[in-house]
């Protein structure tokens, strides 16, 4: 029919010509009136009569539209909003199963992964226009989701991060996997990687070179949400001379390495679920830039609403039919419809007889 509307059975539309029938005929009883001047004008009846004809025509058209399979076509609409293309890089090492006190959770304590799960879920729910991908790492990197605007599957991926983790933390190859998620992303949008981890390990020199090359080719914003256990060393503290080595302070040297990329980078230290919430709120404020995104609107069938309209119209016609009453032949109506009688004449013999 049009670019936005279509039907499944076009030939059925020819039945729409039947909608002209109520304009020339109706289902109500006709009553013969010898002289229409005998009745006063009745505008209300004329309006109701015309309305019932239109309702009858609408009922036929609605039935034809439903039988033809009227629908609105699936389409893609460009919209404007605020957001970013974001990859969540999640640490799945076994240390994430501990609480911020670096022990197995007990009582009201939350594990680091559980606290991150709830807060990241709220973070994603508050950014409906983002395209979000999910990657994870422990002993090796694990692709979870490519960039997508289907946030229900993103929430499902986030909900799984508190499952028991593995032993080691290969953050270098995890970062490489997260950056590769933007390889086919050609949209003009802000790109960001959010690393959620409670630690780091040494990054091989070849992996470091590959990461620098990837950031040069695809500039991104980097955020590190460092879930620091209470009592652990801060990534912002400078150790005494001779102790500032990657082996002794891998988290601090990961921080320095990320700073060396020359792209916007910010690290947040969190030692409690409240601190994690504050850090995520700050990241949410940072990544609010104009964004043009496409929204896929699925096909929408209009057959059921059309049948509902037809049923309503038929119901109104049925009520009018049930309320119909014939003219009663009483009083004035009987006199108006009685045939005229011949006038009597008087015969010569004086008897009365009909002429």
């Amino acid at each position: 029919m049009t670019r936005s509307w279509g039907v499944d059975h076009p030939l059925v539309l020819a039945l729409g010509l039947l909608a002209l029938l109520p304009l020339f005929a109706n289902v109500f009883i006709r009553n013969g009136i010898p002289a229409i001047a005998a009745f006063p004008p009745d505008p209300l009846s004329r309006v109701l009569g015309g309305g019932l004809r239109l309702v009858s025509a609408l009922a036929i058209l609605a039935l034809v539209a439903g039988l033809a399979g009227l629908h609105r076509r699936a389409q893609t609409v460009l919209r404007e909003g605020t957001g970013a293309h974001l990859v969540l890089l999640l640490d799945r090492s076994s240390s994430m199963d501990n609480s911020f006190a670096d022990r197995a959770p007990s009582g009201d304590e939350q594990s680091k992964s559980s606290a991150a799960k709830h807060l990241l879920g709220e973070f994603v729910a508050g950014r409906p226009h983002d395209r979000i991908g999910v990657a994870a790492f422990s002993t090796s990197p694990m692709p979870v989701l490519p960039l997508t605007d289907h946030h229900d599957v993103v929430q499902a991926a986030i909900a799984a991060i508190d499952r028991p983790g593995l032993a080691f933390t290969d953050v270098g190859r995890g970062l490489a996997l997260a950056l590769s998620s933007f390889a086919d992303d050609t949209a003009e949008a802000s790109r960001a990687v959010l690393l959620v981890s409670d630690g780091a390990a040494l990054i091989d020199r070849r992996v470091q070179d590959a990461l620098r090359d990837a950031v040069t080719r695809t500039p991104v914003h980097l955020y590190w949400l460092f879930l620091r256990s209470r009592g652990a060393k801060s990534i912002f503290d400078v150790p005494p001379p001779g102790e500032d080595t990657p082996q002794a302070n891998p988290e601090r040297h990961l921080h320095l390495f990320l700073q060396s990329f020359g792209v916007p980078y910010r690290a947040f230290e969190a030692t409690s679920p409240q601190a994690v919430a504050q850090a995520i709120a700050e990241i949410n404020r940072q990544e609010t830039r104009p964004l043009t995104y496409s929204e896929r609107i699925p096909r929408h069938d209009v057959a059921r609403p059309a049948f509902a309209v037809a049923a309503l119209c038929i119901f109104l016609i049925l009520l009018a039919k049930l309320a119909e009453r014939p003219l009663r032949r009483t009083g004035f109506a009987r006199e108006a419809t009685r045939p005229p009688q011949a006038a009597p004449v008087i015969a010569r013999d004086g008897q009365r007889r009909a002429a």
Side-chain angles (χ1 to χ4, degrees):
M1 295 174 62
T2 66
R3 293 188 62 184
S4 300
W5 294 90
V7 292
D8 295 325
H9 310 290
L11 294 179
V12 177
L13 294 178
L15 296 176
L17 295 175
L18 296 176
L20 298 175
L21 288 178
L23 304 181
F24 302 100
N26 60 56
V27 297
F28 299 101
I29 299 173
R30 290 183 175 272
N31 292 277
I33 304 297
I36 196 168
F39 290 88
D42 189 4
L44 178 59
S45 294
R46 292 182 179 179
V47 172
L48 289 177
L52 288 173
R53 290 178 184 272
L54 292 178
V55 169
S56 302
L58 179 60
I60 295 174
L61 290 176
L63 283 172
V64 171
L67 293 173
L70 180 65
H71 61 269
R72 188 181 63 192
R73 299 180 186 276
Q75 52 189 309
T76 300
V77 180
L78 289 179
R79 302 193 186 279
E80 293 183 355
T82 56
H85 291 185
L86 180 67
V87 173
L88 304 178
L89 180 58
L90 309 176
D91 188 346
R92 295 291 292 111
S93 61
S94 57
S95 59
M96 289 286 289
D97 298 334
N98 295 332
S99 68
F100 286 91
D102 201 21
R103 63 189 179 200
S106 61
D108 295 335
E109 288 183 326
Q110 277 186 306
S111 67
K112 300 172 192 173
S113 58
S114 179
K117 178 182 76 171
H118 294 301
L119 294 167
L120 286 174
E122 295 176 1
F123 172 74
V124 170
R127 302 181 64 87
H129 301 151
D130 286 1
R131 295 190 69 213
I132 300 177
V134 181
F137 65 93
S138 58
T139 306
S140 61
M142 295 173 284
V144 180
L145 277 179
L147 287 172
T148 178
D149 52 6
H150 295 287
H151 286 194
D152 51 346
V153 294
V154 176
Q155 293 284 11
I158 293 173
I161 68 174
D162 60 346
R163 299 294 187 270
L166 302 177
F168 300 106
T169 306
D170 192 348
V171 65
R173 290 199 294 162
L175 281 168
L177 175 62
L179 292 172
S180 68
S181 300
F182 299 110
D184 299 325
D185 183 21
T186 58
E188 294 294 331
S190 176
R191 300 180 179 89
V193 173
L194 171 56
L195 168 62
V196 181
S197 175
D198 67 339
L202 297 179
I203 301 178
D204 184 86
R205 180 68 62 180
R206 290 173 297 179
V207 177
Q208 291 185 15
D209 294 338
L211 289 173
R212 290 193 179 94
D213 181 63
V215 171
T216 301
R217 287 184 283 105
T218 309
V220 297
H221 297 176
L222 293 175
Y223 299 96
W224 182 16
L225 180 55
F226 177 39
L227 307 179
R228 181 168 66 90
S229 301
R230 285 191 287 272
K233 296 179 181 179
S234 170
I235 60 175
F236 303 113
D237 294 339
V238 180
E243 298 182 11
D244 191 11
T245 63
Q247 291 78 10
N249 297 281
E251 290 82 14
R252 168 174 163 76
H253 280 266
L254 174 61
H255 172 59
L256 297 176
F257 174 63
L258 296 178
Q259 280 184 329
S260 70
F261 285 159
V263 297
Y265 162 71
R266 189 167 179 183
F268 300 89
E269 272 193 352
T271 57
S272 67
Q274 294 76 19
V276 176
Q278 293 172 2
I280 289 180
E282 179 60 27
I283 295 171
N284 193 24
R285 285 191 292 269
Q286 293 288 331
E287 292 301 322
T288 52
R289 293 173 176 81
L291 175 68
T292 300
Y293 64 98
S294 60
E295 182 177 351
R296 180 70 174 173
I297 301 177
R299 165 178 161 146
H300 178 68
D301 288 322
V302 193
R304 286 189 177 182
F307 287 135
V309 171
L312 177 60
C313 293
I314 294 173
F315 177 70
L316 294 176
I317 298 170
L318 179 61
L319 288 181
K321 183 65 177 175
L322 293 176
E324 185 181 17
R325 295 293 183 270
L327 290 175
R328 294 174 180 265
R329 301 180 62 84
T330 59
F332 181 79
R334 283 201 298 267
E335 293 296 331
T337 58
R338 177 181 296 170
Q341 300 293 324
V345 298
I346 304 298
R348 290 181 179 180
D349 56 2
Q351 293 181 352
R352 184 180 176 183
R353 62 182 182 180

